Amino acid sequence: MTVAPAASQRSTAAALDVLSEIEDRVLWLSSAIVHHANRVRPNPSGLKVGGHQASCASMVSIMTTLWFRHLRPEDRVSVKPHASPVLHAINHLLGELDASYLSTLRAFGGLQSYPSRSKDPDPVDYSTGSVGIGATATIWGALARRYAGRGSEGGAAGRQYALVGDAELDEGAVWEAVLDPQVAELGELVWIVDLNRQSLDRVVPHMAAGRLHGMFAAAGWQVLTLKYGTLLEQLFARPGGDTLRARIDDMSNAEYQRLLRCTADELRDRLPGTGSGAPAITGLLGDVDDTTLMESVRNLGGHDLAALDTALSEVEDHRPTVIFAYTVKGHGLPNQGHPQNHSSLLTEQQMRELADEVGADPDHPWEGLAADSEAARLCAEAAARLRRDSVPTAAPPVVPTDIGRTPVGVATTQAALGRVLLDLTRTAPEAARRVVTVSPDVSSSTNLGGWVNKVGVWSPTERVDWFADDAETILHWRERPTGQHIELGIAETNLVGLLGELGSTWSRWGEPLLPIGVLYDPFVQRALEPWSFGIYAGGQSILVGTPSGVTLAPEGGAHQSITTPSLGIEQPGCTTWEPAFALDTEWTLLAALSRLGRPDGGSAYLRLSTRPVDQTLADVPTDPAARERRRRQVVAGAYPLRRQEGAQVTIAAMGAVVGEALAAAERLRHIGVPADVVCVTSPGLLYQALDARAGHCDAPDWILDQVFPAERATPLVTVLDGHPHTLAFLASVHHVPVRRLGVTGFGQSGSIEEVYRHHRIDTDSIVRAALDLTE
């Protein structure tokens, strides 16, 4: 090993001394941000505001080293949720956050509880808060960046760091993401695990770091471990040090944590233990002064600036890296290592003592570093180094509103999805080039085969298609950097995580994409929470659930979705459409695509079906103006499908059961009960229109007058292949009597006719409901 010259060693030591001063200021600011929110800012309600001083403290050394020594402007960092005050403290020192915000943690309009791209006033690369999602977002961010920059070096530029709490590794979504085969190729990915061995309630008793090491290594990651700091390593180098290392290595997490709460005398009594090595350890400790002993036992690798600096310099670029940094929760605070310190708050006196230790002024907590100090100069240098140029955002492509095709014969809305994508490549190639589809191994079974054959499968490098010359192969799997379909393993959370990041490229990298994720509708709920979080973080995408409902009759209850139709009402930032006909699918999909990749855009969810439907039932107007009027109604949420003179009842139907509604209306006409039929395409948009009419939101409400005019107000039957509450609110448009038909129980296997009859969404049930309302 080469020994550095003495001058170089002194230079490094001096640099670390300056870094240590910044570390102290970050610890103070992050603690003061939480303290002010809870103990200084007026709080009339008396309820605890919250914050996590101990969780912040365990990350201070890691984040200080990363930001002030290694980070580059092209890098991006996902910060563990409870360390948000550390991020704000660093941004303040870099001149990216005015001091006036430091007193606003968790206040209305102030700093958010957890890092937020969309709501915080300072630079935040990834929104975090839902445990595990912030970590995996860096994986999908790396893939999205590569895809957005395909064909150029810029696509993979910059590292994607994730600062992960060790408890986050309990989340299954983390391992679903780590194990995806594509991840092993992402050399720009760096995770740093804050291994403080505590959860919210306790010291974790059996966290096997060796097992975690093996799991990451088996997935192809470089694994670096920072367990002990310089002081402990120096003790281990003394006579008896090997015995001390073995003693600490073998003790449980809880026993080690208890040592952090001990006085020097208690340490000398407890640390040797009762084993055969106790005399050697006792002898070693006899030569160590109290101060060194107390500092050494807390000197873990995750708080050793030199060790952190070295580890970050050893990160490889050809495979992902995970750094296990052993830390003490609450390091540097009076509550360090306490098993219940997760949400505990320092007292006023403890804050004053901390200020004295780190050289801060408790009466002027936001006062900056001395302008002529080396620490202030280092902050200024880091700020200049990390300054990012504004990203020019390309305008999203123009998406046509109507391709012009009028489907005939029998078709399904699921098949229409693939048809529209292929049509787009011919009628709007610029828009089609921005489309990227994602699927969890269900491309062929969701009718994406033609699209995949046309555009190919995306891969960072071209791969041989060994079945290209096989005449019986229908789906051609051509993997190349120019492909537009990304195939993941069977993990819905991975799919929506990638969707969220693909849907953020317009704001991150200035490259608007039109991402569409396709999965089986019964599994939408499994993916809903991470997809919702992606929408919150600014990701704009289209999620397609297909096939859906009990219409998937032979599959039985486990594969029949019930609650998904109401997503458009309940999910912010998302519009739901459930088209009944192929042309409705085209129009709504094009409308959804046109809202992606723009500051005023949003996400969409399309619920499609495999039920073959006679397309002539759509009765599409042939007159161009009338056709355009129908299209606008379809996109706005509903349209009148049948009007009958003297209608006594209205049937509002959605999706696959529109055929039953039309058949019921025909039977009712024959028995002297004329019925209007309204085809609902988006309950969410209709709900917004009704809310706007009441003055509760700003949305257009013209669709209500066109579809539910006051002069045609009649008793209402609502019916859909999903939970009936989805359309129940329609009765309040004119306050009419209503019968709500839908699915409220788990499904059964059988034919569509049998299953519809079982759930009372068949033609007979619609007729009976209408007669109940009119007799």
Side-chain angles (χ1 to χ4, degrees):
M1 181 177 68
T2 303
V3 178
S8 176
Q9 290 180 352
R10 285 195 298 273
S11 175
T12 300
L16 291 177
D17 285 343
V18 175
L19 194 64
S20 179
E21 186 177 345
I22 295 175
E23 176 190 28
D24 284 346
R25 186 52 59 102
V26 172
L27 176 63
W28 166 257
L29 287 173
S30 60
S31 300
I33 287 170
V34 179
H35 176 75
H36 192 282
N38 287 273
R39 299 198 187 276
V40 180
R41 193 170 67 218
N43 182 11
S45 71
L47 295 175
K48 180 180 176 180
V49 175
H52 303 84
Q53 290 171 323
S55 292
C56 287
S58 68
M59 288 296 302
V60 165
S61 307
I62 295 170
M63 293 177 67
T64 300
T65 307
L66 180 60
W67 258 266
F68 292 94
R69 292 280 290 180
H70 291 270
L71 210 59
R72 303 166 300 172
E74 63 268 26
D75 299 332
R76 298 294 182 270
V77 188
S78 172
V79 177
K80 79 169 189 177
H82 291 163
S84 64
V86 183
L87 176 61
H88 298 311
I90 289 175
N91 280 335
H92 171 63
L93 292 175
L94 294 174
E96 296 284 0
L97 182 66
D98 188 79
S100 62
Y101 282 104
L102 300 181
S103 60
T104 68
L105 179 69
R106 302 191 175 204
F108 187 80
L111 300 176
Q112 299 300 297
S113 306
Y114 311 118
S116 172
R117 282 192 76 215
S118 57
K119 294 181 180 293
D120 272 318
D122 53 331
V124 174
D125 293 332
Y126 286 98
S127 297
T128 60
S130 186
V131 175
I133 290 180
T136 59
T138 56
I139 293 177
W140 314 124
L143 277 177
R145 189 170 196 176
R146 287 195 180 203
Y147 184 93
R150 54 196 179 143
S152 69
E153 288 295 326
R159 284 178 175 165
Q160 303 285 322
Y161 290 93
L163 308 181
V164 186
D166 52 14
E168 291 190 80
L169 298 182
D170 291 345
E171 282 289 343
V174 169
W175 299 105
E176 288 182 358
V178 166
L179 294 176
D180 192 273
Q182 298 186 70
V183 175
E185 301 178 18
L186 301 178
E188 63 269 41
L189 193 64
V190 182
W191 284 14
I192 305 174
V193 180
D194 172 17
L195 203 67
N196 62 47
R197 295 169 289 181
Q198 281 186 239
S199 63
L200 189 151
D201 293 326
R202 60 175 182 163
V203 176
V204 178
H206 303 298
M207 177 174 287
R211 176 170 54 86
L212 293 173
H213 183 294
M215 292 167 71
F216 276 100
W221 291 51
Q222 176 193 18
V223 183
L224 303 175
T225 300
L226 293 177
K227 189 167 186 178
Y228 301 121
T230 304
L231 290 176
L232 266 177
E233 290 290 355
Q234 289 173 349
L235 281 185
F236 296 154
R238 297 186 184 188
D242 289 342
T243 306
L244 176 61
R245 182 193 294 271
R247 162 77 173 127
I248 295 177
D249 280 343
D250 291 341
M251 68 175 55
S252 69
N253 292 338
E255 183 180 2
Y256 184 81
Q257 294 285 106
R258 182 64 185 88
L259 296 179
L260 302 176
R261 310 290 301 166
C262 290
T263 64
D265 288 341
E266 289 171 331
L267 277 175
R268 296 181 192 281
D269 180 58
R270 289 173 178 262
L271 190 52
T274 57
S276 59
I281 298 173
T282 300
L284 169 61
L285 299 183
D287 295 331
V288 179
D289 64 81
D290 287 354
T291 300
T292 301
L293 179 59
M294 294 283 287
E295 290 179 356
S296 295
V297 80
R298 294 166 174 77
N299 182 228
L300 298 181
H303 302 300
D304 191 296
L305 298 178
L308 285 163
D309 191 52
T310 299
L312 288 167
S313 300
E314 293 175 350
V315 171
E316 298 173 353
D317 288 326
H318 66 277
R319 57 176 175 162
T321 296
V322 60
I323 300 173
F324 288 108
Y326 281 72
T327 61
V328 175
K329 194 165 185 174
H331 185 262
L333 302 181
N335 59 6
Q336 59 185 322
H338 193 281
Q340 278 85 52
N341 68 6
H342 181 78
S343 298
S344 66
L345 298 169
L346 270 61
T347 65
E348 180 68 31
Q349 180 59 35
Q350 288 173 328
M351 285 296 295
R352 289 190 171 274
E353 292 170 358
L354 176 63
D356 186 57
E357 291 174 14
V358 301
D361 184 349
D363 297 318
H364 301 89
W366 321 128
E367 191 170 55
L369 295 163
D372 59 348
S373 67
E374 289 295 324
R377 278 192 282 275
L378 180 55
C379 289
E381 291 170 4
R385 183 184 77 247
L386 295 174
R387 189 163 293 117
R388 296 172 182 170
D389 295 330
S390 59
V391 178
T393 302
V398 176
V399 178
T401 58
D402 188 349
I403 291 174
R405 181 191 300 274
T406 303
V408 295
V410 174
T412 72
T413 54
Q414 176 178 291
L417 169 69
R419 177 79 265 167
V420 174
L421 291 177
L422 287 174
D423 284 343
L424 204 62
T425 63
R426 291 185 286 270
T427 60
E430 288 301 315
R433 273 193 284 271
R434 295 279 180 174
V435 172
V436 52
T437 55
V438 187
S439 173
D441 198 36
V442 293
S443 303
S444 55
S445 57
T446 54
N447 285 93
L448 285 181
W451 164 258
V452 172
N453 285 344
K454 175 77 173 179
V455 302
V457 178
W458 179 79
S459 174
T461 57
E462 188 157 356
R463 294 173 178 161
V464 176
D465 178 9
W466 294 105
F467 289 87
D469 59 348
D470 187 336
E472 296 183 3
T473 298
I474 299 175
L475 180 62
H476 299 289
W477 210 254
R478 301 185 182 95
E479 297 180 85
R480 54 201 178 195
T482 57
Q484 292 179 241
H485 176 76
I486 301 177
E487 188 85 357
L488 300 173
I490 305 175
E492 287 77 13
T493 54
N494 287 355
L495 175 134
V496 295
L498 179 54
L499 274 185
E501 292 306 318
L502 289 168
S504 297
T505 56
W506 67 275
S507 59
R508 287 194 193 279
W509 325 120
E511 289 291 336
L513 297 176
L514 309 179
I516 303 173
V518 182
L519 74 165
Y520 293 161
D521 197 68
F523 308 131
V524 165
Q525 287 182 304
R526 182 186 299 176
L528 186 56
E529 192 264 341
W531 188 54
S532 173
F533 198 83
I535 294 173
Y536 165 78
Q540 299 172 4
S541 63
I542 298 171
L543 189 64
V544 178
T546 183
S548 62
V550 300
T551 300
L552 192 62
E555 293 287 341
H559 279 67
Q560 296 172 352
S561 52
I562 298 172
T563 62
T564 50
S566 61
L567 286 183
I569 299 175
E570 299 154 1
Q571 175 59 53
C574 169
T575 301
T576 291
W577 283 288
E578 184 167 348
F581 300 102
L583 190 55
D584 297 354
T585 305
E586 174 191 309
W587 287 338
T588 54
L589 179 60
L590 294 176
L593 288 169
S594 71
R595 300 176 67 238
L596 300 179
R598 53 197 320 128
D600 59 344
S603 296
Y605 160 63
L606 269 67
R607 189 176 191 249
L608 306 183
S609 172
T610 49
R611 187 180 190 187
V613 175
D614 179 2
Q615 298 302 300
T616 62
L617 295 176
D619 197 19
V620 180
T622 56
D623 178 79
R627 178 186 175 101
E628 172 59 16
R629 186 172 190 265
R630 165 70 69 85
R631 185 200 67 79
R632 291 182 68 244
Q633 291 173 337
V634 167
V635 171
Y639 59 95
L641 187 55
R642 295 286 187 274
R643 294 289 201 206
Q644 295 196 27
E645 187 68 29
Q648 299 178 31
V649 65
T650 299
I651 304 171
M654 184 167 74
V657 298
V658 166
E660 276 67 27
L662 289 170
E666 185 62 18
R667 282 174 51 184
L668 288 166
R669 183 179 68 83
H670 281 295
I671 59 177
V673 183
D676 285 345
V677 178
V678 169
C679 182
V680 175
T681 55
S682 177
L685 290 177
L686 296 181
Y687 187 87
Q688 287 181 23
L690 190 59
D691 231 17
R693 182 160 289 183
H696 298 314
C697 71
D698 183 18
D701 64 355
W702 58 267
I703 188 64
L704 298 178
D705 294 327
Q706 292 194 7
V707 179
F708 299 104
E711 64 272 15
R712 299 191 72 87
T714 62
L716 181 68
V717 177
T718 63
V719 58
L720 74 155
D721 182 0
H723 200 282
H725 86 88
T726 306
L727 300 180
F729 72 92
L730 291 175
S732 63
V733 175
H734 295 299
H735 303 285
V736 296
V738 63
R739 289 291 184 274
R740 300 167 293 271
L741 304 181
V743 180
T744 58
F746 289 110
Q748 302 288 331
S749 296
S751 67
I752 288 180
E753 293 76 16
E754 290 171 322
V755 173
Y756 276 16
R757 190 178 309 115
H758 171 76
H759 291 286
R760 297 183 178 87
I761 57 174
D762 59 320
T763 301
D764 285 349
S765 296
I766 298 172
V767 170
R768 285 195 296 268
L771 293 176
D772 287 344
L773 289 169
T774 56
E775 291 183 353

